[in-house]
Each structure stands twice: as C-alpha cells, then as structure tokens.
Amino acid sequence: DVQLVESGGGLVQPGGSLRLSCMGSEFTFYSYDMNWVRQAPGKGLEWVSYISGSSSLIKYADSVQGRFTVSRDNGKNSLYLQMKSLRVEDTAVYYCARQAFDYWGQGTLVTVSS
Amino acid sequence: EIMLTQSPVTLSLSAGERATLSCRASQSVSRFLAWYQQKLGQAPRLLIYDVSKRAAGIPARFSGSGSGTDFTLTISSLEPEDFAVYYCQQRSNWPLTFGGGTKVEIK
C-alpha cells in the first residue's frame, strides 16, 4: 500500500527554524508531484506548498512565501519542507500529500511558542 | 486567490437521512473541484475529484455535482461512519484553496 510518513515536527521558538521530512513508499516517488498542507489546532485545511516530480515547478502559499522552502530527493523517496522565521501562527499539523491528494501522511505537529 | 465558501457550517442529521453540502467559489474553477472527509485526529480522505468522480474505494452514496462556481456534495443516506467534517478544494488556480468546512453531526 502507498505510504507517506512525515517526521521532524516539534516545539520551536518564534523566529526559529525546523525541517520537516516526508518519506514515500510503495509508489514511484519521482513520478508524482507532492504537496504540503497544514491545519492549525481546531481550524481548517491550508495548502502550503507544491513541488513537481522533477522539482522544476514550485509553488507556495503567500503566508509562507520567502520563509519556507520545499525540496525533494527522489533517490531517497523523500520530500522536505525547510521552515525559517517561524511565527506563532505557523503552529499546525503539517501533512504531506501526493499529487492528486489521494494519499496523505499522518501529519507531524509543529508548535511555535516561547 | 479563489475563496471557497461552504454552507452550512454545521449540518445536524440522523443516520439514514440525505446530506446536501454546498461549496461556492468566488470565481469559476471549471471542473477542478474536490471534496474531502476528515474525522477527528485523522488525515483528510479524498472523496470526490473533478466535481463528480469518486476516488478509489469511495461508496456510491457519495456524489458530487455542479460547475463553474456552485458545487454540491450529496450523501444519499448517512451511515454512522459518515459523521465528520467535509472540505471542498479548488485545483484550478494557484494558490490552491480549501473551503472552511462543513461539520455533519448526529442529530
């Protein structure tokens, strides 16, 4: 079965940095575009970022543009989200999702607090 | 940015009843509209994509309709496991956006 497993979440102070990872298995990872989606506690879903299979096309939500960087290593079947200048409002569960949003990871919680 | 407005915010129904959820876009999204179900503590699950195509393994009681700016998710007869939050999403324009959600709760 297709699996996506996120890691890297945790508690970080405002202004700090964190790198999330998402490892995919049981599918040809390089053939699929990938997304990051987040959900603040008790709130709805917010799309964060997109990266094409070859990394040739990258998109960000305005709320993270210039602070977050998405990347991937197809040799390791892995997707990354480097987050810098973190704000309290970035606190959320971060999910990775496959191209058509047909498969999602279980999510990793990022808490930004002093 | 395309805004998606879902209504109602909460829908109180009994098992066996029909549920009709609405999603309205601030501009046309053509047919690039999807629906998700999310239960507490779980990741979202894709139900419908391209307005009316059911995702793999989704029961036939879930159906989607609409075009342009007005879309509907219908659950023909609610099963106990259908009580959850439902989100619509547009994939027509960047940034991709989600609606605020409709909670379907037990009456």
Side-chain angles (χ1 to χ4, degrees), chain A residues 1-44:
Chain A
D1 283 359
V2 169
Q3 264 206 315
L4 295 169
V5 179
E6 301 97 337
S7 60
L11 174 63
V12 61
Q13 291 188 336
S17 299
L18 210 56
R19 188 198 198 203
L20 306 183
S21 299
C22 168
M23 180 171 288
S25 59
E26 302 302 323
F27 67 101
T28 50
F29 188 79
Y30 63 86
S31 297
Y32 287 85
D33 306 341
M34 297 293 294
N35 294 275
W36 287 100
V37 176
R38 68 184 180 183
Q39 186 168 36
K43 303 296 184 183

Side-chain angles (χ1 to χ4, degrees), chain A:
Chain A
D1 283 359
V2 169
Q3 264 206 315
L4 295 169
V5 179
E6 301 97 337
S7 60
L11 174 63
V12 61
Q13 291 188 336
S17 299
L18 210 56
R19 188 198 198 203
L20 306 183
S21 299
C22 168
M23 180 171 288
S25 59
E26 302 302 323
F27 67 101
T28 50
F29 188 79
Y30 63 86
S31 297
Y32 287 85
D33 306 341
M34 297 293 294
N35 294 275
W36 287 100
V37 176
R38 68 184 180 183
Q39 186 168 36
K43 303 296 184 183
L45 301 170
E46 179 187 16
W47 171 80
V48 172
S49 183
Y50 158 95
I51 183 168
S52 64
S54 63
S55 303
S56 59
L57 181 63
I58 287 174
K59 297 287 186 181
Y60 297 100
D62 288 347
S63 57
V64 307
Q65 180 79 49
R67 300 186 299 120
F68 289 12
T69 302
V70 64
S71 62
R72 63 191 297 162
D73 183 336
N74 289 336
K76 295 181 178 180
N77 287 355
S78 292
L79 170 72
Y80 306 102
L81 187 67
Q82 177 69 52
M83 304 184 295
K84 297 180 179 180
S85 302
L86 282 162
R87 306 167 179 167
V88 171
E89 55 265 34
D90 294 318
T91 295
V93 173
Y94 285 73
Y95 297 100
C96 60
R98 204 171 71 163
Q99 180 170 319
F101 297 88
D102 52 350
Y103 287 93
W104 297 61
Q106 84 289 352
T108 187
L109 176 62
V110 173
T111 303
V112 184
S113 174
S114 54

Side-chain angles (χ1 to χ4, degrees), chain B residues 2 27-33 50-51 66-71 92:
Chain B
I2 296 177
Q27 65 188 76
S28 176
V29 299
S30 186
R31 294 193 61 80
F32 300 107
L33 194 286
D50 292 351
V51 177
S67 65
T69 61
D70 289 291
F71 303 91
S92 175

